[in-house]
Amino acid sequence: MPAPLKQTARRSLLVTSATLASLALTAPVSLAAPTPSPSPSAPAASSAKPSASPSGSASASASGSASAKPSVAPPADMSTVGGARLGQAGTQVDLAGGAPVLPKDLTARSWIVADAESGDVLAAHNAHWRLPPASTLKMLFADTLLPRFPRTTQYKVEPKDLEGIGSGSSMVGIKEGETYSVHDLWLGVFLRSGNDAVHVLSSMNGGVGKTVTEMNEHAEELQALDTQVVSPDGYDASGQVSSAYDLTLIARSGLQKADFREYCSTLTAKFPGETKKNKKGKTVRGTFEIQNTNRLLTGDYDISQYQGIAGVKNGNTTNAGATFTGVAERDGRVLLVTVMNPAKTDHNEVYKETAALFDWGFQAAGKVRPVGELVPPKGAAPAGGQPGENGSAEGGDGSGEAGGSGNVSEKPVASAVTGDGSGGMGTALAIAGGALVLLAGAAFLVNRRWPLPDLVRRRR
């Protein structure tokens, strides 16, 4: 029996319930800039970062007129980070007795199913194929910058902060001259995939160029060597690529941070509007509601909210197609699934294929032999220790929680509220009759190479 199940009895419980409404949303799709030209495929794993390019080429003008589509075939030689089989083209799975077969009709160019706690890769398809990532790249942006600024920090937006945003970008609605908290800005990044929020946070960090450099450095630290950042918001740009393997590594790192977990699992929030004078001449500033565009969190007209989902990030651009990385829990097991660019044009196909892979992963866990692993970051602590990077600058100790220590927080995602304390925010982990499990940090760190401390998980 896997270690996570044996240690379930040691975990502390936090039970709560609330009503969750199903929302119907339309995911923003940004128009495209040119994508990379063909180049030699990525080398096998090494200390050097591979050059950036997918196996094929595609281009489109800012007006959205497309030319050649990327090649439908992955390169023959891909990175072997995480294991030799993950560098092979095609589907990699090792079914043992009683294991279910993989879902039929999977059309994504690349996907991966991994155990978030142990790091075992249960199955993969072209895991290291270097493709445009779209807004899933915002996971790396958040993982890099979240520790920099306390969430209560206030910032007044200047015109220069909103320069260089790609045409057709998804926006949360930030206005120059208005003041926003860092908490507001991160809600804009995670819920509405707002490129305007990304650019404002990048300005606070010293500019887009500096932020891109730091994101690339952080990707290398995570051993996400398929990833090359050109634009911090994931907007299509020449040379900007990642892979299903890398996006899964990045999500796993981000989920160590309490703030990251909170934002990626938030359903709705109140966002500050424009400052205006009312009929009585009094200066007032209202709010408007924003919703998460992750349909496995919210549901949609043809897809239900996925039981156990707790994030992470979706994306969609002309060159990348639909991309998605999700984390979900069921029966004491936490899985990560990344799906990149399904061939089907169905509006919600990326979510349907992700849900099918989650279902398979939960059924197959313990019945398949791993085909690889999610490697730890270069600076990861040894087994039994805590990762070296803190979760947030909030509270002065980097924990993201008052009285917290390191990455092990004592506060569940479900307690999240908007910056102004309003009750307009729901989370995927608050449902009628639902129970939340708060994993005790000490117990959860036992025998984990790269653990997910205190990940709040919704039970059946």
Side-chain angles (χ1 to χ4, degrees):
M1 181 179 293
L5 296 180
K6 292 181 180 179
Q7 297 174 1
T8 300
R10 303 177 186 176
R11 300 170 179 171
S12 56
L13 300 179
L14 178 67
V15 180
T16 187
S17 64
T19 301
L20 178 66
S22 177
L23 304 173
L25 302 175
T26 302
V29 180
S30 58
L31 300 180
T35 52
S37 299
S39 71
S41 58
S46 68
S47 59
K49 193 175 183 114
S51 60
S53 175
S55 62
S57 64
S59 63
S61 69
S63 63
S65 58
S67 58
K69 287 286 185 182
S71 169
V72 295
D77 299 313
M78 295 183 282
S79 170
T80 57
V81 171
R85 290 191 65 172
L86 298 182
Q88 298 175 20
T91 300
Q92 307 301 319
V93 66
D94 192 352
L95 301 177
V101 297
L102 284 163
K104 297 180 180 179
D105 301 325
L106 294 175
T107 68
R109 290 183 175 177
S110 177
W111 54 260
I112 191 169
V113 182
D115 187 305
E117 297 175 356
S118 69
D120 289 341
V121 176
L122 307 184
H125 180 75
N126 301 327
H128 282 291
W129 194 358
R130 308 176 77 214
L131 300 166
S135 286
T136 50
L137 195 64
K138 288 182 172 75
M139 295 188 297
L140 178 60
F141 174 76
D143 195 37
T144 304
L145 263 64
L146 262 173
R148 306 290 172 85
F149 310 106
R151 62 165 62 198
T152 55
T153 299
Q154 300 288 315
Y155 183 78
K156 186 175 182 179
V157 176
E158 302 178 12
K160 65 178 181 62
D161 300 332
L162 300 176
E163 293 175 354
I165 298 175
S167 174
S169 288
S170 52
M171 310 279 270
V172 68
I174 290 173
K175 304 295 182 183
E176 61 185 59
E178 295 285 2
T179 298
Y180 301 86
S181 69
V182 166
H183 180 63
D184 294 329
L185 296 173
W186 283 118
L187 288 171
V189 171
F190 278 91
L191 273 67
R192 293 302 303 168
S193 204
N195 289 4
D196 48 354
V198 170
H199 278 253
V200 172
L201 285 163
S202 296
S203 291
M204 294 176 64
N205 190 52
V208 168
K210 178 175 180 287
T211 299
V212 166
T213 297
E214 292 174 352
M215 288 173 67
N216 281 315
E217 290 172 349
H218 188 49
E220 186 169 354
E221 163 62 22
L222 296 179
Q223 301 197 61
L225 304 182
D226 300 325
T227 300
Q228 182 66 41
V229 182
V230 177
S231 177
D233 50 24
Y235 187 87
D236 287 335
S238 179
Q240 183 154 274
V241 289
S242 190
S243 67
Y245 182 87
D246 279 14
L247 292 174
T248 308
L249 278 187
I250 292 164
R252 195 181 189 211
S253 176
L255 287 165
Q256 311 304 308
K257 300 173 173 62
D259 287 349
F260 189 104
R261 295 192 299 275
E262 174 190 328
Y263 293 130
C264 79
S265 65
T266 297
L267 287 175
T268 64
K270 298 294 184 182
F271 195 81
E274 289 188 78
T275 301
K276 298 179 180 179
K277 287 188 177 181
N278 62 17
K279 295 180 180 179
K280 296 181 179 180
K282 182 180 179 180
T283 300
V284 295
R285 188 180 189 188
T287 62
F288 58 92
E289 186 174 271
I290 58 175
Q291 302 87 28
N292 201 312
T293 56
N294 173 357
R295 291 185 180 87
L296 287 190
L297 277 173
T298 64
D300 202 0
Y301 68 95
D302 63 343
I303 189 170
S304 299
Q305 181 200 45
Y306 191 81
Q307 187 275 323
I309 194 73
V312 176
K313 189 73 187 74
N314 57 317
N316 199 328
T317 65
T318 300
N319 290 335
T323 60
F324 180 66
T325 297
V327 62
E329 183 272 347
R330 188 176 297 174
D331 298 330
R333 187 179 296 274
V334 184
L335 296 183
L336 282 162
V337 172
T338 295
V339 172
M340 301 186 75
N341 199 349
K344 289 184 180 178
T345 58
D346 184 285
H347 187 58
N348 285 325
E349 183 63 24
V350 71
Y351 303 106
K352 294 175 182 178
E353 295 193 17
T354 299
L357 287 167
F358 268 130
D359 287 344
W360 175 85
F362 288 124
Q363 295 170 15
K367 301 175 182 177
V368 295
R369 289 175 286 268
V371 294
E373 67 171 346
L374 301 177
V375 296
K378 293 178 179 178
Q386 294 185 29
E389 190 169 17
N390 290 330
S392 170
E394 181 74 24
D397 65 356
S399 67
E401 312 294 345
S405 62
N407 277 320
V408 182
S409 74
E410 301 174 357
K411 182 177 176 183
V413 175
S415 63
V417 293
T418 50
D420 61 1
S422 67
M425 182 185 301
T427 75
L429 309 175
I431 65 168
L436 302 184
V437 179
L438 176 63
L439 302 181
F444 200 59
L445 287 168
V446 176
N447 297 323
R448 301 288 188 275
R449 288 172 296 175
W450 186 235
L452 291 175
D454 89 334
L455 176 63
V456 179
R457 308 183 307 185
R458 191 182 81 206
R459 299 176 67 85
R460 288 174 184 248

